[in-house]
Amino acid sequence: MVKVFKSRFLLAFALPLIITASAACLVIVSLRWSAVENDILAVDRQQNLVRLIVSKLQIGIAHDQESATVWDDAVVKTREADHEWMEVNLGSWMNSYFQHDALVVIDSENQPIYHFIAGGDGLSLNKLRQAYQPQVARLRERLTSGDETGVTDQVLTIGESDLIILEGRPAVVSAKPIVSDTGDIEQEPGQEHIHVAFRFLDGSFTDVTAKEYQLDHLHFSWQPPEDGEYAAAELHSRNGNVIGYFLWTPFQPGRSVFYATLPSTGIAIVGVFVSLGVFSLVLQRRSVRLEASHAQLRHLAHHDPLTGLLNRVGFSDAAIAELDASNPDEPSSILFIDLDRFKEVNDTFGHPVGDELITAVAVRLRHALPGAVIGRIGGDEFTALLPGATGERAAGAAEQVIRDLSEPFELQGNRVKIGASVGVAVCDDATEFPEASRKADIALYHAKAAGRGRFAIFGKHMDDLLQGRRKMERELRAAIDKKVQIETVYQPVYAADTGALNGVEALARWRHPKQGVISPDVFVPLAEELGIISELGRIVLEQACEALGPYQDLTISINASPLELSSDAYPLHVLSTLAKFGVDPDRLEIEITESLQLEEKSQAAVAIATLRAAGVSFALDDFGAGYSSFGRLQNLHVDRIKIDKSFIDALSPGDSSAVVQAIISMARAKGLQTTAEGVETLEQKMVLQSLGCDALQGFLLSRPISRVELHAMLDRPRERECL
């Protein structure tokens, strides 16, 4: 009996208990081993990610530098040691836009001619000099020997970068040569000026990186972690020395799984298979979360954080993959899209409104180009791949983009109107992608040269046209820099009631030695794109003041672009020029366009207020030609309205004069003067006189005339009256 009892006990209780316990032990041991291995793998991936982030930062700093160092103006201004220019373009701007902590410009003798240090970090030029000397020496040696290792279509110049200790803090130092973008400026190899940028790896960089990549408690340490609380990634300098460590609380999915499944292991005593099922389910859930985290990291590495569109790298990868998978008998099209007048919006309203505008543009592009691969490759530059679209389909898509982006945007209570230019090129397969991108870029230049708001499809002739445009850019820059070929002509303005000459409008003309007189519609937008519109405006103002200074009874009208008004130095330059030629400020009238958007504290608004306080008056040019309204005048402090020629062309004694009459009546109610532009017939003149318009100008009264012709007319009193 005792033996039977023992056998039953063994079969009914002891053996199942032993089997279950053994199985439970095996499960626990396996689970623990799996958790440890999973945690090791997760930490290894996080370490690789941190190393990749630091490497991309070094590459990114060098790329940021090239936006300002590969530039003719940078070569010229650093040679001239123009401190103010370097402060704006190579110092404070690099800090505010790219978060560089310190910057130094070094001349051909390795002497610093400019430096910028952000904040109160206790840095000095001597400390920076000690830090950058090895990189500058290596870069100078490579430049002298003509070494171009690493230069590609994306990397424009060679450079030297390293991880260093700067004033007790880890930092990236990057040295880049300042070179000509056109190749027109001769530079002796090894004698180039050098731009050095510093970016600390602790402080704000770790805060942003921890938030972006979900690395908990990320911080810099001089010593490796002493226990398992933190994971670590070594930072190596160029010579292989360890300069410090990035530490963070590692994400350990295995440990979470292990503790979460302990209750399930207890249930395994009742049923091993049930416990294993619960374990599998929990493990699967943890794996999904880990994969989701990795997917988010991959998304951030290939997408623009502002718009959610693909970035330059992501677009290139996606486009090549799409072309590889497409039918080789159906070529695709690449669109390069550049926003018109975006810089004016950004300068006038500030970067927050500019960012909101970029986001809204991305939304419209997704709507206009369904099924396309779309990317943002620059500040206001976008690109798209249209699979299987050539000819009419690509042209239709470009037209749709232009239509959609020309519609006004409502941003933070402001009505903003921009536009777009589009370049199109055909791409046969993935191997043709880089060349097709280059062609689309050339087509974009062609579209912009044709007047913006247009598209162009690449043709073989465009390479020559692009070279012609670049030649015109160089010739216009030279004409303005040397103050030659730019002439000012003068269109008289007459009082409507008496016919007496009471002022002239100064207009710029470019007298090219080979092409003759080039229209302002061609070279003025080009000057704005090149950033030399302020210099052009200075030439016109000085020539006008010199020509009309002695004629105290005449007003002088000049045009000012939004870019000029956004300059801090504009009011001072205007007032100093008036004083130089003895012209009273109340004789000057500055014409602004209705496209100028003004915030109360914007630089343009401050400039207008400063000049009006000094006696200068302002006129709203081409009123009604764009999107202005009577109510808009509440926000524009002007003294005169210039009625657009389109209204004058349709003018007759009948009902068509109602709009002009309304404009004149509204102006009188607000105490504003009115001038009618483009008066070409006696009928128009008579109607405007009857409506009470204050001043007239146009071909009926006088075409724009030269300085000699103007002086001849002013010196004969009878010719001062318009019959």
Side-chain angles (χ1 to χ4, degrees):
M1 291 292 296
V2 174
K3 290 183 178 179
V4 172
F5 176 78
K6 288 183 177 179
S7 297
R8 289 180 177 178
F9 176 81
L10 180 63
L11 293 173
F13 180 77
L15 186 58
L17 179 61
I18 293 172
I19 295 174
T20 302
S22 300
C25 289
L26 289 174
V27 170
I28 292 174
V29 171
S30 299
L31 179 61
R32 182 61 180 171
W33 178 84
S34 176
V36 171
E37 290 297 316
N38 205 7
D39 289 346
I40 292 173
L41 180 61
V43 171
D44 183 64
R45 289 176 177 174
Q46 293 173 66
Q47 288 173 330
N48 290 335
L49 173 63
V50 171
R51 296 187 187 102
L52 178 62
I53 291 170
V54 174
S55 176
K56 289 184 67 175
L57 175 64
Q58 289 184 262
I59 296 173
I61 291 175
H63 182 71
D64 297 341
Q65 289 177 275
E66 287 184 349
S67 67
T69 58
V70 184
W71 190 9
D72 284 356
D73 285 2
V75 175
V76 173
K77 295 299 183 180
T78 54
R79 284 180 176 177
E80 297 173 353
D82 189 336
H83 188 276
E84 180 179 356
W85 189 94
M86 290 188 287
E87 170 71 18
V88 172
N89 295 276
L90 301 178
S92 60
W93 182 82
M94 302 292 283
N95 167 255
S96 61
Y97 199 79
F98 298 116
Q99 291 79 51
H100 295 179
D101 296 294
L103 302 114
V104 182
V105 177
I106 302 166
D107 66 13
S108 59
E109 302 297 328
N110 288 338
Q111 296 301 314
I113 58 174
Y114 166 80
H115 71 279
F116 173 89
I117 300 175
D121 294 320
L123 292 176
S124 67
L125 179 59
N126 286 334
K127 295 174 182 177
L128 295 179
R129 187 200 302 263
Q130 296 173 6
Y132 67 64
Q133 280 180 343
Q135 286 70 39
V136 170
R138 285 195 296 268
L139 178 57
R140 189 75 71 187
E141 181 179 354
R142 292 180 64 193
L143 290 169
T144 302
S145 65
D147 182 8
E148 294 186 353
T149 303
V151 176
T152 66
D153 291 342
Q154 289 75 37
V155 180
L156 304 180
T157 60
I158 63 173
E160 288 290 332
S161 178
D162 201 358
L163 300 182
I164 63 170
I165 303 299
L166 178 60
E167 196 61 18
R169 298 176 64 185
V172 173
V173 56
S174 177
K176 278 281 187 176
I178 299 175
V179 300
S180 168
D181 60 330
T182 63
D184 293 340
I185 301 178
E186 294 186 0
Q187 294 177 276
E188 183 179 350
Q191 298 300 307
E192 297 88 343
H193 288 192
I194 294 177
H195 183 266
V196 184
F198 295 85
R199 177 75 191 276
F200 287 116
L201 293 177
D202 54 4
S204 63
F205 172 75
T206 55
D207 294 339
V208 173
T209 302
K211 183 177 180 181
E212 252 183 56
Y213 296 94
Q214 301 180 2
L215 297 171
D216 294 338
H217 307 110
L218 178 68
H219 63 282
F220 178 81
S221 173
W222 300 110
Q223 301 296 331
E226 298 179 355
D227 51 37
E229 180 181 358
Y230 291 105
E234 296 179 347
L235 298 179
H236 294 272
S237 64
R238 181 189 182 99
N239 57 17
N241 294 332
V242 177
I243 66 169
Y245 302 82
F246 270 134
L247 307 183
W248 68 94
T249 302
F251 173 51
Q252 297 177 309
R255 178 178 295 184
S256 301
V257 172
F258 177 76
Y259 288 111
T261 55
L262 279 180
S264 301
T265 305
I267 300 175
I269 299 174
V270 179
V272 174
F273 295 103
V274 174
S275 300
L276 291 175
V278 172
F279 166 72
S280 299
L281 178 62
V282 173
L283 185 60
Q284 183 181 11
R285 289 177 178 175
R286 293 296 186 268
S287 299
V288 170
R289 290 183 183 178
L290 185 60
E291 180 60 32
S293 177
H294 291 163
Q296 184 178 7
L297 292 177
R298 289 193 297 269
H299 178 85
L300 292 174
H302 290 82
H303 289 77
D304 173 43
L306 179 61
T307 63
L309 297 176
L310 293 167
N311 58 20
R312 185 183 294 273
V313 174
F315 175 79
S316 179
D317 293 345
I320 291 174
E322 181 70 35
L323 291 169
D324 280 335
S326 63
N327 187 340
D329 295 330
E330 295 182 357
S332 301
S333 292
I334 295 177
L335 273 60
F336 269 36
I337 304 162
D338 185 78
L339 303 184
D340 299 333
R341 296 182 294 277
F342 172 75
K343 189 176 188 304
E344 297 177 16
V345 174
N346 217 28
D347 291 342
T348 303
F349 293 103
H351 293 297
V353 173
D355 289 346
E356 186 176 340
L357 175 58
I358 290 294
T359 303
V361 167
V363 172
R364 293 194 184 180
L365 287 178
R366 289 190 182 100
H367 180 268
L369 303 173
V373 179
I374 306 175
R376 181 189 179 206
I377 59 174
D380 61 346
E381 297 175 339
F382 298 82
T383 186
L385 174 72
L386 307 181
T390 60
E392 293 184 2
R393 284 187 58 194
E399 289 178 339
Q400 185 65 47
V401 167
I402 293 171
R403 281 196 300 270
D404 286 1
L405 297 186
S406 65
E407 293 295 325
F409 293 82
E410 296 293 338
L411 305 173
Q412 299 184 14
N414 299 291
R415 193 165 185 259
V416 175
K417 186 175 177 64
I418 58 171
S421 301
V422 182
V424 183
V426 176
C427 187
D428 294 327
D429 53 45
T431 61
E432 295 291 329
F433 175 74
E435 179 63 15
S437 297
R438 186 188 73 86
K439 291 178 179 179
D441 195 19
I442 292 175
L444 174 61
Y445 273 104
H446 181 72
K448 294 172 66 176
R452 298 183 181 180
R454 304 184 183 187
F455 76 92
I457 301 176
F458 178 82
K460 293 183 179 179
H461 65 288
M462 288 187 180
D463 270 324
D464 295 334
L465 291 175
L466 178 60
Q467 295 303 320
R469 173 183 170 84
R470 289 178 175 171
K471 180 180 179 183
M472 178 174 285
E473 290 177 356
R474 294 192 297 270
E475 290 175 342
L476 177 59
R477 191 186 297 275
I480 292 178
D481 287 344
K482 298 177 181 179
K483 296 184 179 180
V484 296
Q485 303 174 18
I486 302 300
E487 299 179 359
T488 302
V489 296
Y490 306 89
Q491 184 167 34
V493 180
Y494 296 90
D497 53 355
T498 65
L501 177 67
N502 55 18
V504 294
E505 180 179 359
L507 304 167
R509 295 291 185 267
W510 180 14
R511 190 173 297 278
H512 192 278
K514 294 182 179 179
Q515 301 181 37
V517 178
I518 298 178
S519 170
D521 294 338
V522 174
F523 73 85
V524 170
L526 186 59
E528 291 179 340
E529 290 182 18
L530 296 176
I532 54 177
I533 189 65
S534 296
E535 289 79 357
L536 177 61
R538 291 176 184 176
I539 293 174
V540 173
L541 177 61
E542 290 180 359
Q543 290 183 356
C545 289
E546 183 180 10
L548 293 165
Y551 302 93
Q552 299 294 328
D553 58 332
L554 295 180
T555 61
I556 306 170
S557 296
I558 64 169
N559 292 276
S561 75
L563 295 179
E564 289 181 272
L565 289 168
S566 298
S567 170
D568 296 341
Y570 185 69
L572 178 60
H573 167 71
V574 170
L575 296 178
S576 62
T577 302
L578 294 177
K580 175 181 177 181
F581 293 101
V583 178
D584 292 334
D586 58 7
R587 290 180 57 198
L588 179 64
E589 181 177 81
I590 299 177
E591 299 181 10
I592 60 177
T593 62
E594 60 180 346
S595 61
L596 179 66
Q597 307 284 340
L598 294 178
E599 289 181 327
E600 183 178 353
K601 296 182 180 180
S602 69
Q603 186 56 47
V606 172
I608 291 176
T610 301
L611 290 170
R612 294 187 85 231
V616 177
S617 60
F618 281 80
L620 183 59
D621 196 15
D622 301 328
F623 182 78
Y627 51 86
S628 60
S629 63
F630 294 159
R632 175 167 162 71
L633 292 177
Q634 301 291 339
N635 302 319
L636 287 174
H637 299 292
V638 297
D639 307 281
R640 179 184 299 274
I641 294 175
K642 300 195 73 174
I643 306 171
D644 187 66
K645 184 178 183 297
S646 61
F647 294 110
I648 308 304
D649 289 342
L651 201 58
S652 67
D655 294 336
S656 60
S657 64
V659 174
V660 176
Q661 184 175 11
I663 294 174
I664 295 173
S665 299
M666 177 275 300
R668 283 183 175 176
K670 292 185 63 63
L672 305 178
Q673 296 286 309
T674 55
T675 296
E677 300 180 291
V679 179
E680 297 181 352
T681 68
L682 287 172
E683 184 181 63
Q684 293 170 352
K685 174 185 175 184
M686 294 173 61
V687 172
L688 289 167
Q689 288 174 326
S690 66
L691 294 177
C693 185
D694 297 300
L696 309 174
Q697 69 179 104
F699 286 1
L700 174 68
L701 312 175
S702 175
R703 291 177 176 271
I705 57 179
S706 67
R707 174 176 177 172
V708 174
E709 293 171 319
L710 176 65
H711 284 175
M713 181 180 69
L714 294 177
D715 293 336
R716 292 192 291 270
R718 290 183 59 85
E719 294 191 17
R720 284 182 172 232
E721 296 184 0
C722 175
L723 301 179

